[in-house]
Amino acid sequence: MTEYFDKILDNSNRFHAIESDLGDRVGHKLFTLMAIDHARGEAARIYTSHPIEYPVGGRKPLGALTEWGKVVLQDQKPWIAADFSDIKGAFFDYETIEQLGCASCLNVPVIDENADGGPRVIGTINLLHEEGWYRPEHIATVARYAPFLVEPYRRWAALAN
């Protein structure tokens, strides 16, 4: 377990730099990085801008594929929730999201192109903000950071299993 936290802490400066830069370039009220644990059918939080509400190590069940799951996990494409109804339909913790003043989100998959069996989503970059904040032109800005997260997500997966 100590090795797991040491590896996460090694990456905390990288994660914080990405959060800060995307805050300046795109904006967010909540920023998280989630690693996908396909074997357990869960997403695990490896970084957060809100450690009280969304602590590192917290997990979310992937469950049956919602529209979010079909787009992000299956089709390996970014997903934008334009308003709170989109968030409510995708995430079981929508009440906490609403309490933070968030009503839109942008999720970008982190894809391991060299995974066994072909390209696979191994994590997501998640930005949340007020309603209507995110637009399709934000996707390219956020997606530029995904390649820098592949190796930390691989290391997390190796330590978590």
Side-chain angles (χ1 to χ4, degrees), residues 42-153:
E42 297 176 327
R45 195 172 305 102
I46 63 171
Y47 182 84
T48 180
S49 63
H50 285 69
I52 303 284
E53 298 88 348
Y54 286 106
V56 168
R59 289 177 171 261
K60 289 184 172 187
L62 296 176
L65 285 184
T66 61
E67 181 63 25
W68 176 90
K70 290 175 188 164
V71 172
V72 177
L73 300 176
Q74 188 175 339
D75 298 341
Q76 302 180 355
K77 304 285 185 203
W79 183 77
I80 293 177
D83 57 34
F84 189 70
S85 67
D86 291 340
I87 288 175
K88 192 173 180 180
F91 305 118
F92 77 92
D93 56 341
Y94 62 86
E95 290 172 339
T96 305
I97 292 168
E98 184 177 40
Q99 289 171 359
L100 293 172
C102 299
S104 69
C105 74
L106 170 56
N107 302 124
V108 173
V110 175
I111 301 168
D112 184 348
E113 297 289 344
N114 298 313
D116 291 339
R120 186 174 205 179
V121 175
I122 58 172
T124 58
I125 303 170
N126 312 297
L127 294 86
L128 292 92
H129 213 305
E130 62 195 41
E131 187 168 326
W133 189 267
Y134 298 110
R135 299 179 310 277
E137 54 266 28
H138 290 130
I139 292 171
T141 300
V142 177
R144 287 192 350 224
Y145 294 88
F148 298 104
L149 294 169
V150 171
E151 193 54 40
Y153 280 36

